Amino acid sequence: MPEKDKCVECAEQLSWVGIWDSAFLALFKGVVGILTGSRALTASALYSIHDVISGVAVLIGFKVARKPADREHPYGYGNAEYIVCVFTSILLLCATVFLLADCIRIFFLGEHSPPNIAALMAAIVSVAANEIIYRFNICSYKRLNSPALLAHAKHHRADVISSLAVVVAVVGGALGYHFLDAAVAIFEAGHLLYLSVELFHQGGSGLVDRAIKESDVSLIRQFLSGMAEVKEVKDIKTRQIGRSVWVDLYVSLPADKTIAEINTISARIRYGIANKLEYLGNINVICE
Amino acid sequence: MVEQSCVNCGKRVEWIVLGINFSLFLLKGWFALLSHSKALLADSFESLVNFVITIVVLVCLRMASNNADEKFPYGYGKVEFLASGIVNMLLMIVAIVYVFVSCSEMILIGPERPPGLIAIVAAVVSIVINYIAFGYGRCVGEKLGSSAILANAQINLTDLVTSAAVIVAVVGSRLGIPRLDHITAIVICVFIIKVTLDGVKKAIRGLMDASLHAEEVHIRDLIENIEGIERVGAVRARLAGRNLFVDVDIFLPSDWILSKGLGTVSKIKNVLCKKIENISDVSVQLLPLAGTDSPMHKTDHPSGHANSD
């Protein structure tokens, strides 16, 4: 199907285009926002930075995590994705807190800077660029049904909305509502706080070896209970290493079987579970 | 035999060093403001760095002792890596900013007046206290054989060196090298950047489950000679904070029955738990010798484990 191949290619390019686009917009809006004193535009720049971070993390998840395990990293490179998430989200969090503090100060002191045409232009550019990327993402999401693409699309939509809010703030400022800029910025910074904490939590709990979804664990349990040789399942420990799932199974098998027979049973267990779970990294079958 | 008094010292030493670092931070910070010495200010920042990192490690040790639960089946040990990585990164950023500020100040403004001699008082106090703390930490560390305590003592030694540098800076800038104070401050900050960068790297290694070569070789040596084991396959060790998790594959004669194999497993566990500190879990996979390879290759995923033989 050439149609679908085109979509796959488009989706691959999109993640790069999306990252460069967001990086450029972040820089552009950040510089204009600081020069014109528009806090709302600066907050909107942070949204673009958030897009860059999540885009880069997903790319790393796909590229680096596929590197096979080696001597230095016997468990593979999956956690690189989480590490990027955690360290960058902390930086984003710091920037947002500074911005929020600044906005609150301005809001209460009433030192509003006058609305600026440059801020308006930057916001309009951002709305247009993000809307285009959003459309492309949604298109390939519909064809390929990939949740990562949907997440990308949502990020760009959020960026569109935040830039639209900047437009409102500047226009409102021109009409005499000077407080609008700081108010929009406070609102956006609040949302950014939520986003960066979410990003941190996602990466952080992955790094502390969070278990996989409970429904997946019960899939494993169900499969094992269907095997006559497995007398008892003592424990199932799972952890996510980036995109791949690592499983330690503690089972008791018939004590009178030979090691060779045990090995065949384990192989069947491995094979069965490998068919049930996506992104399986490794299964240890440990007899107790 | 370790004396009881040394064990007591071991429990106290981290808290004592913590208190010392914080007091030194306050003392040096205050004197730095009084004397306008940039070098002393950087030195006090170093004490703050030591204080904050020790606090993080202590808090995380408390957290890590929480038992594993459904959501985190391997326990919370890795919180230590996560927290120390973040804290080191933030402190590194502060140090980088300080380097930039100092550089621009030194070039654009130049020193307005030489730092006051009072800075030397703080530096001397810092040297004496750090020397005592270092001696105490080394004594406890050596008696208990704890590398963590010894590493902590080393921190006091570096703090001592920076305080000595402050004296040189203050005397030098009063004797006619006016920029020496700034230069020393920058050098101290560059040093802090290096230390915190090492901390970040170490945390990332832990978070990536990087290989622990020394432990793996040691484990292999310990179990190779247990009777019945034909060959030791993959050995993997990973650290979650202070807790060591070990995965071992062993090859047994393929006609052994499982109950005999389980006997070997418990022997392995006994040996490893006795000889290696901090082991929190040993998982042993039993494999038949008959030419089969490590089972890791049988999973149909590209990140299947590379055999370490």
Side-chain angles (χ1 to χ4, degrees), chain A residues 124-232:
Chain A
I124 290 173
V125 168
S126 167
V127 169
N130 276 303
E131 182 66 21
I132 292 171
I133 304 267
Y134 166 76
R135 291 278 159 94
F136 272 106
N137 264 314
I138 278 291
C139 167
S140 27
Y141 161 67
K142 280 187 180 147
R143 301 275 162 85
L144 300 176
N145 198 22
S146 142
L149 285 172
L150 182 64
H152 275 313
K154 277 187 180 158
H155 289 151
H156 288 290
R157 206 359 104 77
D159 211 341
V160 170
I161 294 169
S162 80
S163 303
L164 275 179
V166 177
V167 173
V168 171
V170 177
V171 172
L175 294 175
Y177 300 105
H178 287 290
F179 66 92
L180 260 182
D181 187 71
V184 165
I186 289 176
F187 186 73
E188 294 192 334
H191 185 219
L192 275 167
L193 276 187
Y194 169 75
L195 286 179
S196 44
V197 168
E198 191 188 27
L199 199 59
F200 174 77
H201 182 254
Q202 207 184 329
S205 63
L207 288 177
V208 185
D209 294 336
R210 177 188 49 201
I212 59 174
K213 283 196 307 247
E214 217 155 298
S215 58
D216 286 344
V217 177
S218 50
L219 264 184
I220 298 176
R221 217 173 264 282
Q222 216 178 343
F223 171 77
L224 289 176
S225 66
M227 286 188 69
E229 294 91 339
V230 180
K231 288 199 298 192
E232 195 193 341

Side-chain angles (χ1 to χ4, degrees), chain A residues 71-72 74-75 79 87 207 209 211 237-239 246 248 250 255 257-260 270 280 282 284-285, chain B residues 71 73-74 78 89 93 207 209 211 213 236 238 247 254 256-259 281 283 285 288 296 301 305:
Chain A
R71 202 170 249 281
E72 248 338 281
Y75 294 89
N79 275 341
F87 283 82
L207 288 177
D209 294 336
K237 284 186 184 173
T238 59
R239 61 188 190 119
W246 288 56
D248 284 338
Y250 296 83
K257 299 260 187 201
T258 64
I259 299 292
R270 280 194 199 96
L280 188 68
N282 183 50
N284 277 336
V285 180
Chain B
K71 213 165 168 216
Y74 294 92
K78 277 192 174 176
M89 180 185 70
I93 291 172
L207 291 173
D209 294 327
S211 158
H213 291 297
R236 277 174 295 179
R238 62 192 183 95
D247 289 340
S254 54
W256 275 28
I257 59 165
L258 179 59
S259 52
D281 195 18
S283 323
Q285 278 201 117
M296 315 286 180
H301 190 274
H305 169 65

